[in-house]
Amino acid sequence: MMRRLLLAVALVLAAAPAFAVNPDEVLADPALETRARAISAELRCMVCQNQSIDDSNAELAKDLRLLVRQRIADGDSDEQVMNYIVSRYGEFVLLKPRFEAKTLLLWSAPVLLIALGGISLVVFARRRAGKPTGTALTEGEEARLNELLKK
């Protein structure tokens, strides 16, 4: 029983994500390190593009993590750090884009596509409902049908 429990714990720990933050990057103050980890989890690795800089082992991601920690150590707020990174690397560096006028289409696209799909289905169903399906029966088929219905 104990072996199974240890095996289960080992499997769970093996499946946990391996964060790329190296020990030499960690800030001495736990509160500042927590802020740095939260910020770096929101920033995209420009090399990997599907990972945060917190999860990436790329050199650029390491440089960005160090930059975030440097800005925090210098006294910048979280918003100032994010604005600084975005000013240098553009909006693409954000894993979750900001809700602004220029990103309105990005944020509204799923709702618009679902609505457009629903409208298309309704229009298609209405057009289809008005048209008969198949072809008209021939005289022989109609006579055979009447014969079968009389039985």
Side-chain angles (χ1 to χ4, degrees), residues 72-99:
I72 288 175
D74 289 345
D76 285 1
S77 69
D78 293 0
E79 186 177 344
Q80 288 172 323
V81 173
M82 293 293 276
N83 288 338
Y84 180 77
I85 299 292
V86 169
S87 72
R88 291 188 69 185
Y89 294 94
E91 290 281 331
F92 185 72
V93 77
L94 299 175
L95 279 173
K96 182 181 175 188
R98 295 174 176 163
F99 189 76

Side-chain angles (χ1 to χ4, degrees), residues 37-79:
R37 293 298 290 264
I39 292 171
S40 63
E42 295 179 23
L43 296 173
R44 178 187 319 272
C45 173
M46 302 303 278
V47 175
C48 308
Q49 295 189 4
N50 63 344
Q51 288 183 317
S52 71
I53 63 170
D54 202 38
D55 298 331
S56 175
N57 286 323
E59 284 297 316
L60 180 60
K62 180 181 179 179
D63 293 343
L64 284 172
R65 287 192 302 267
L66 291 173
L67 180 61
V68 166
R69 282 165 173 75
Q70 177 189 358
R71 302 292 296 194
I72 288 175
D74 289 345
D76 285 1
S77 69
D78 293 0
E79 186 177 344

Side-chain angles (χ1 to χ4, degrees), residues 88-130:
R88 291 188 69 185
Y89 294 94
E91 290 281 331
F92 185 72
V93 77
L94 299 175
L95 279 173
K96 182 181 175 188
R98 295 174 176 163
F99 189 76
E100 297 174 344
K102 61 184 173 184
T103 59
L104 184 61
L105 181 61
L106 175 69
W107 283 100
S108 61
V111 174
L112 292 174
L113 289 175
I114 289 172
L116 184 62
I119 291 168
S120 298
L121 284 174
V122 168
V123 168
F124 179 75
R126 285 189 178 173
R127 284 185 182 170
R128 192 132 165 95

